[in-house]
Amino acid sequence: STAKRRSKTNQATDKDPQQLRCSMLRRITMPSLVWAAALSLSFTAMQAFQLPSTSSQQKHALAGRSIERVKAKGSIQIQRYSTAAASVANDLESVAWDTVTDDWELDCYSRPVLVGGKKLWEILITDSSGNLRVCRSLPSNKVNSREVRKVVEDVIGESEVKPGTIRFFRGAMFNMINIALSEIDVVAKPSRCTFALAQWLEERNRDVYPQMEGY
């Protein structure tokens, strides 16, 4: 075996030096050429599938349109809230007060509707008979005990029948509602027995919210 290796070595050294240099160059340059071709094809493919670029003027125009839409939605939203806050008396004009009880039910929670990209919050006030129904919207940045107390006070002030008890069932809103009602001359009572409110919420989830923009 040692003689064979020596024979092969001698044969290799007997070759022409020019042939050896050519062979070595082929071994070095061939992989480099393959990698260069692959990179060139990849770059060409990326250019072919690249999304069309947007000029700076187009970007400014799109940004301006977005700001205008937000401002328009914001103005509509503010107008809607202010109109709702001023219409308590109108909602109570058609109430048959002889059927309204002093056992009221209250809910304050977000609804499956987006207004200006934010969840719609509502305060629902009804009585155990379901004949008194008042719905007020709240901006998401004004969901607090002070706003809830103000709405309840407005409704009580316009009502011919004053509540003795106000029930609410949402444990997640217990602190806020309890604080809001603590400064009103009523008994705040956490309870699952808010049947008129549950029926009203079911009606709104079925018939009202799906028809609203942003549902």
Side-chain angles (χ1 to χ4, degrees):
S1 59
T2 303
K4 290 181 178 180
R5 284 198 298 270
R6 289 177 179 175
S7 175
K8 290 181 179 179
T9 303
N10 293 333
Q11 290 177 0
T13 54
D14 291 340
K15 289 184 179 179
D16 186 11
Q18 185 68 25
Q19 293 179 353
L20 288 174
R21 282 196 296 270
C22 292
S23 177
M24 291 175 65
L25 286 173
R26 280 197 298 271
R27 292 178 184 176
I28 294 172
T29 56
M30 285 302 293
S32 300
L33 291 173
V34 171
W35 277 106
L39 289 173
S40 177
L41 289 173
S42 300
F43 182 73
T44 304
M46 288 174 64
Q47 285 184 326
F49 289 99
Q50 188 176 3
L51 293 174
S53 59
T54 305
S55 65
S56 59
Q57 293 180 351
Q58 290 174 330
K59 289 179 181 178
H60 288 304
L62 291 172
R65 291 172 193 165
S66 300
I67 292 172
E68 288 175 0
R69 292 193 193 101
V70 171
K71 287 182 178 178
K73 289 182 179 178
S75 62
I76 293 171
Q77 184 176 353
I78 292 170
Q79 183 180 4
R80 183 180 302 166
Y81 291 137
S82 61
T83 303
S87 61
V88 173
N90 294 334
D91 288 349
L92 301 179
E93 284 181 355
S94 59
V95 174
W97 290 109
D98 57 334
T99 63
V100 175
T101 69
D102 64 350
D103 191 6
W104 287 15
E105 301 172 5
L106 168 69
D107 184 42
C108 176
Y109 207 65
S110 62
R111 309 306 180 195
V113 178
L114 292 179
V115 179
K118 297 181 180 179
K119 276 291 189 71
L120 170 69
W121 282 77
E122 286 182 337
I123 297 176
L124 301 182
I125 299 175
T126 184
D127 72 317
S128 58
S129 70
N131 292 310
L132 170 69
R133 287 185 173 183
V134 177
C135 174
R136 285 293 164 269
S137 300
L138 278 181
S140 58
N141 61 346
K142 289 190 176 182
V143 179
N144 53 58
S145 59
R146 182 178 59 185
E147 293 295 327
V148 174
R149 181 173 64 251
K150 184 177 182 302
V151 172
V152 175
E153 287 175 340
D154 289 344
V155 176
I156 293 175
E158 296 291 338
S159 300
E160 296 181 13
V161 178
K162 310 303 180 183
T165 302
I166 297 182
R167 302 174 186 269
F168 57 96
F169 70 93
R170 292 192 192 273
M173 307 300 293
F174 173 82
N175 289 336
M176 190 180 74
I177 295 177
N178 198 45
I179 293 172
L181 300 180
S182 64
E183 299 184 16
I184 302 176
D185 188 18
V186 296
V187 177
K189 191 172 183 179
S191 174
R192 293 284 182 179
C193 298
T194 53
F195 304 116
L197 184 60
Q199 181 179 355
W200 190 15
L201 282 169
E202 183 180 351
E203 292 174 6
R204 292 183 68 80
N205 282 316
R206 183 186 64 244
D207 303 327
V208 178
Y209 300 131
Q211 306 301 322
M212 297 177 66
E213 183 179 356
Y215 176 73

